[in-house]
Amino acid sequence: MEKFPPVTPVDDLKALIIDNQGLVHDVVSNALKDAGILRVDSAFNAFHAIRLCDENVYDIVMIAFNVSSDKDGFHLFEELKHYQHITDKTTVVFLSAETSQALVNCIVELQPDDFWVKPLDKKRVTQRFQYLLNIRRKLHKLLCCLQNHDYSSAIYYAERQLTDKTVSEFHPRLKRIIGESYLALRDYNKAEAYFHDLLKQYDHAWIHIGLARALLRQHKMEEAESLLEDLLARDDTRFMTYDLLAQYYIEKEQFDKAYEQMREASKLAPRNIERNKRVWDLARLNHDKLGQLLAVQNMAKYAKNSIHDSPELTLNVLRTTVDVATSANGAEAEKLVKKVETDLIEFERQQGLDKELADQRAVLQARLLCLKNDKKSAEAIMKTKRPDTDGLSMEDNLDKMKAFHELGMREHCLSMLEKLHRQIAGDTFTSQVVDEYLKQESIERKEINFTTRELKEMAAVNYKENRFGPAYQNLKQALTLSPDNKQIALSLLKIMVQLNKKEPLNDAQIETAVKAAVLLSDDYLGPAQAAKRDEYVAQMNIAAQIQEKMTVSENLLS
């Protein structure tokens, strides 16, 4: 028979209150003492809280959102969980005077035992403590099973306690644990049936989410559609539903749809660094450079003073800004280059430069020199670099690969791509998204030898000299690298009108023209651009093909 550690007596429980307001400490500590908990520590900032957790094991932790200027409560909560100062057996209460939906969504993701809105009422606090301590005592064996990831035993103990009328007030929580345990065991068929039965009794958000997860894991999208529509309409389930859909589309390799869902989820719960990382990866895969920049800027913003904060994160913002500059026009590219140069000086001032950071900075400097058309100086830097990936992060290596490519050092570039495939092997999300991105990069770097900006400049020269065929190839490649760039699409149609005058377009060219015209079919086009689009479409007589393409796309989306 399985043995469990004994339940800790109430007077042996140890509590930690983390808040920057003395009044909160007074109210909560008095309520804890009324409940029989006498061992109470107080921390007025995150630094002190972490030091106390390093020295003690706490059974109860109270965390305020506004802890102090050194770290917000969300990141402190996340850090305490990461270092196992908070476990499944710890009773956690989150405190906040703010109740915005974005903050609530972020807190829900961390799954505290309770969320109290300040100002606190002593009588109410005492009642809630008694409630939480009862849960702790009654569910002791069950919580031990969850702590050990023994989900089969967790289901057994939860089902036993469901027959105990003295714990009827905890039944909804027990039922949730059973459903989530089925999902953790990957018994999706049983989970589906279980959540279906629960919906006959309750309308809790977690039941709907659990059912949706079970259906999507079995690829039952048709059965899940109406449920998903309802969940997206609810404030308490919307962002979790976006997460579910993103994962579903990733598994189906529909990365454009996964990107849309992940972006929406990130807007609703912006502090989640891992989700922003996924948005960043999906934006990269979908050639959305501005989306990449926004995601990595969010990561840097919300990671500040957290366990995710690092010099490399700041460096990644600079690298992504350079990526945007490679497809921008002359004036915009120049503005971005100046910003990176200024930010790089500040980065060096704050971080200093050890050998590793100095190497990474040199690669970034080479890319900046390429953008400034000083390829000779850039080559002098990159000729000292080898196409090795050892000891560097994926982002370090990607940046080096791009520098080699932008200088026409194709053998080094392709060698690094091959090594990068091996470097990221084994990571679940990366194997689904980043590996796909690397495959895409391998194809494009072999076939396309220039950046988007260089291809646009070459196309302009070729068009001016009436070399419409080469200009077409330049812009076709540019659109491959930047598939959402409407200016490139419009210029491509302009060139194809000239090609069509000399000789009727072939099937492949018509397909390219239709693709460009469909990109230009949304409502965000300016009047002048819309007029030009309509003029080019009429001259090439491809309106029917465009309508057919749009109808097919709409059917796929629905």
Side-chain angles (χ1 to χ4, degrees), residues 183-197:
L183 290 171
L185 291 167
R186 301 186 179 183
D187 194 344
Y188 302 123
N189 188 270
K190 190 169 285 187
E192 177 190 348
Y194 180 78
F195 286 120
H196 261 305
D197 286 341

Side-chain angles (χ1 to χ4, degrees), residues 467-513:
R467 295 191 293 267
F468 302 125
Y472 164 73
Q473 292 298 335
N474 295 149
L475 289 184
K476 184 180 176 185
Q477 289 186 341
L479 195 61
T480 299
L481 295 176
S482 301
D484 294 323
N485 191 308
K486 292 178 173 55
Q487 189 56 55
I488 294 175
L490 196 62
S491 298
L492 186 58
L493 289 180
K494 178 182 178 180
I495 289 170
M496 297 187 76
V497 166
Q498 299 302 321
L499 288 175
N500 192 48
K501 287 179 181 178
K502 290 189 171 184
E503 186 178 337
L505 300 176
N506 59 39
D507 290 344
Q509 290 172 326
I510 289 174
E511 185 178 343
T512 300

